[in-house]
Amino acid sequence: DGGITQSPKYLFRKEGQNVTLSCEQNLNHDAMYWYRQDPGQGLRLIYYSQIVNDFQKGDIAEGYSVSREKKESFPLTVTSAQKNPTAFYLCASSKYTGDPYNEQFFGPGTRLTVL
Amino acid sequence: KNEVEQSPQNLTAQEGEFITINCSYSVGISALHWLQQHPGGGIVSLFMLSSGKKKHGRLIATINIQEKHSSLHITASHPRDSAVYICAVRDDMRFGAGTRLTVKP
């Protein structure tokens, strides 16, 4: 079955620690995205990648970093510089970016809680 | 950048009722997407609209490009329709805050 996997589903970390969230897709999609979701707010774009070894900042990139070494994988690191990291993180992919008709496919999400 | 507004924020209905969720945006777009987020957090795509109307089962989505407005309708609502419904402008990856729908038996 094709799809997007994120792990873990729940993640707890102490304040000041970096943490990496995993995102893998086997849909052969070129574009991948990371979003953050907070209660009462729409999804906000953190980073996106159109192709391997290339990525662009979204609206709220500060305190986050990404890599795209393989087409299938787009891990997100939440660094200690992120002031309010507790949130629900969603990874998505689509065939292309820049095409508004292109459907996005979402992973199940990772709920990060920083204690 | 587009501002995407949804209303209502929360909606409670009795089973069988007709539901309408609204979405408006501030800047002209090429396409708008309606998404459904299940209680566990997973999101699935319901519709992509660039004009007119689309229907899938009990779900109907409409868009008026000139008025910058889209609606999602659910006919004969059922408790399994309970979810958060989100509209999204893919042109600049902007999302509404979502409408939390609860359908009571």
Side-chain angles (χ1 to χ4, degrees):
Chain A
D1 283 325
I4 302 177
T5 57
Q6 290 185 245
S7 61
K9 190 168 177 62
Y10 299 96
L11 190 54
F12 297 88
R13 279 294 181 268
K14 290 184 179 178
E15 196 171 333
Q17 289 182 332
N18 291 357
V19 59
T20 297
L21 280 59
S22 165
C23 177
E24 304 276 334
Q25 56 98 0
N26 61 3
L27 299 167
N28 198 32
H29 285 169
D30 290 318
M32 296 187 74
Y33 313 79
W34 273 106
Y35 294 98
R36 171 181 171 138
Q37 188 177 36
D38 295 284
Q41 295 191 43
L43 275 69
R44 291 181 291 166
L45 182 65
I46 304 172
Y47 269 98
Y48 67 99
S49 169
Q50 300 180 74
I51 198 168
V52 173
N53 292 324
D54 182 67
F55 45 83
Q56 308 295 328
K57 291 182 179 180
D59 296 323
I60 56 165
E62 186 175 348
Y64 299 97
S65 66
V66 293
S67 63
R68 186 88 186 275
E69 296 177 3
K70 298 187 299 180
K71 187 175 185 177
E72 302 79 18
S73 179
F74 191 41
L76 173 75
T77 297
V78 184
T79 75
S80 56
Q82 168 49 234
K83 291 183 172 47
N84 186 17
T86 294
F88 187 58
Y89 291 88
L90 283 155
C91 179
S93 72
S94 65
K95 187 64 181 153
Y96 313 108
T97 58
D99 179 355
Y101 305 98
N102 214 221
E103 182 181 357
Q104 276 188 325
F105 295 81
F106 288 84
T110 292
R111 191 166 299 279
L112 172 64
T113 302
V114 175
L115 306 171
Chain B
K1 288 263 183 176
N2 235 320
E3 297 298 325
V4 182
E5 301 285 340
Q6 279 188 244
S7 63
Q9 194 171 4
N10 293 286
L11 182 55
T12 300
Q14 289 297 130
E15 184 172 356
E17 285 186 3
F18 182 83
I19 304 294
T20 295
I21 298 169
N22 296 299
C23 176
S24 60
Y25 49 92
S26 57
V27 178
I29 63 170
S30 303
L32 182 139
H33 295 245
W34 280 101
L35 311 170
Q36 181 190 54
Q37 185 170 29
H38 297 290
I43 293 177
V44 295
S45 180
L46 297 175
F47 294 103
M48 188 280 293
L49 289 165
S50 56
S51 66
K53 176 176 160 179
K54 284 191 175 179
K55 185 175 190 290
H56 185 242
R58 295 180 294 104
L59 300 178
I60 303 166
T62 64
I63 190 167
N64 185 319
I65 294 290
Q66 288 74 29
E67 293 187 4
K68 299 186 179 65
H69 181 268
S70 176
S71 293
L72 177 68
H73 306 286
I74 304 175
T75 62
S77 59
H78 189 276
R80 64 174 174 266
D81 297 325
S82 297
V84 176
Y85 293 85
I86 300 168
C87 64
V89 170
R90 287 278 286 119
D91 296 63
D92 53 7
M93 293 179 274
R94 288 282 166 140
F95 295 76
T99 295
R100 184 175 299 277
L101 172 65
T102 303
V103 181
K104 295 185 174 181

